């Protein structure tokens, strides 16, 4: 898979996630706190899309051989099908607990299925932009966890999210090491807990 395909596929996913968050923004519009929360999640996804577009404009500066990437290819079709499945579900109505669970799963997909692959790309001339993309993905997950703490009434889900809070975003990429620390509350630096896949 080449870099152009990866950026295009990731941006398609980000657009789909942004659409879901915008739906939540409209759905919970009459609840002031939740409205603001979903607005911030929409803005976070929008900024990630802007960063991807910025990377795409840099492609012409990279010799063609550097456009190839190695490693396990992400099954973007499968990830996009999950997004489409959620779009159909939310069209039928849902409560805030289900919305938060959907968002949590989507953010995990971004971290596990998108960022952990995109960091394998050649670092130049993308390094600064990919570093900011990494930071924004972490910030959006931080916003979401705060939203779960504030709005979730599902005690089992809340407990599991808080249990995983410090280890959800595993810092293992070369990009992240060079980029330095990003603010995130109470990190304990444990590895990613495999139980997170059973949260949604």
């Amino acid at each position: 898979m080449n870099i152009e395909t990866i950026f295009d596929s990731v941006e398609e996913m980000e657009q789909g996630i942004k659409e879901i968050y915008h739906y939540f923004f409209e759905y919970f519009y009459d609840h002031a706190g939740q409205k603001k929360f979903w607005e911030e999640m929409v803005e976070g996804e929008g900024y990630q899309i802007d960063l991807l577009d910025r990377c795409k404009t840099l492609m012409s500066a990279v010799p063609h051989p550097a456009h190839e990437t190695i490693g396990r290819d992400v099954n973007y079709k499968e990830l996009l099908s999950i997004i489409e499945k959620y779009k159909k579900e939310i069209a039928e109505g849902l409560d805030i607990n289900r919305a938060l669970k959907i968002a949590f799963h989507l953010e995990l997909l971004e971290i596990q299925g998108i960022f952990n692959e995109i960091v394998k790309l050649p670092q130049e001339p993308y390094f600064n932009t990919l570093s900011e993309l990494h930071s924004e993905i972490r910030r959006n997950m931080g916003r979401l966890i705060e939203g779960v703490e504030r709005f979730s009434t599902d005690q089992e889900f809340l407990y599991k999210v808080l249990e995983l809070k410090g280890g959800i975003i595993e810092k293992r990429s070369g990009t992240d090491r060079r980029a330095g620390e990003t603010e995130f509350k109470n990190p304990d630096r444990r590895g990613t807990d495999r139980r997170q896949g059973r949260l949604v």
Side-chain angles (χ1 to χ4, degrees):
M1 183 178 292
N2 60 40
I3 288 178
E4 293 93 329
T5 302
I6 289 174
F7 280 139
D8 288 341
S9 300
V10 171
E11 185 164 345
E12 187 176 359
M13 285 193 62
E14 298 281 16
Q15 290 283 6
I17 294 171
K18 182 181 177 183
E19 289 175 13
I20 290 176
Y21 291 169
H22 190 265
Y23 176 88
F24 291 161
F25 166 72
E26 294 182 334
Y27 192 87
F28 298 103
Y29 191 88
D30 292 336
H31 187 296
Q34 293 175 17
K35 170 191 169 185
K36 178 63 176 175
F37 163 69
W38 292 115
E39 182 179 29
E40 291 174 350
M41 294 298 292
V42 170
E43 291 173 351
E45 294 300 320
Y47 184 49
Q48 291 173 44
I49 292 169
D50 289 343
L51 291 169
L52 287 167
D53 285 337
R54 195 180 305 170
C55 284
K56 290 163 73 172
T57 63
L58 296 172
M59 285 181 187
S60 60
V62 182
H64 183 70
H67 284 206
E68 299 300 320
T69 186
I70 60 175
R72 177 181 60 82
D73 287 342
V74 175
N75 187 339
Y76 290 107
K77 288 184 179 179
E78 180 180 350
L79 298 182
L80 287 167
S81 71
I82 292 172
I83 292 173
E84 291 304 312
K85 181 195 75 172
Y86 283 143
K87 286 182 179 179
K88 292 178 181 178
E89 177 180 343
I90 63 180
E92 300 172 358
L94 74 169
D95 64 11
I96 187 62
N97 291 302
R98 184 57 185 162
L100 290 168
K101 288 182 180 180
I102 290 173
F104 193 77
H105 189 206
L106 293 175
E107 292 298 312
L108 288 179
L109 291 180
E110 285 187 329
I111 294 169
Q112 298 172 341
I114 300 177
F115 183 75
N116 287 346
E117 292 300 306
I118 211 170
V119 294
K120 296 178 182 176
L121 302 181
Q123 293 297 293
E124 301 298 341
Y126 308 109
F127 173 69
N128 289 335
T129 307
L130 289 178
S131 295
E132 180 58 23
L133 177 62
H134 181 209
S135 296
E136 184 56 35
I137 289 173
R138 286 168 57 82
R139 282 192 291 266
N140 234 31
M141 177 59 94
R143 293 184 194 107
L144 178 57
I145 290 175
E146 289 179 0
V148 171
E149 291 180 274
R150 289 177 61 195
F151 303 122
S152 178
T153 59
D154 184 327
Q155 293 302 309
E156 182 179 3
F157 174 63
L158 177 60
Y159 174 78
K160 289 179 179 178
V161 169
L162 294 180
E163 187 181 26
L164 296 172
K165 182 176 180 179
I168 283 174
I169 304 175
E170 183 180 1
K171 299 184 66 174
R172 61 189 175 191
S173 72
T175 297
D176 191 38
R177 287 194 299 271
R178 289 173 60 189
E181 295 292 330
T182 302
E183 289 296 326
F184 196 73
K185 293 186 178 180
N186 300 325
D188 63 13
R189 302 306 178 208
R190 293 175 297 174
T192 304
D193 193 316
R194 294 182 183 277
R195 289 170 296 172
Q196 62 190 251
R198 298 199 291 267
L199 288 178
V200 179

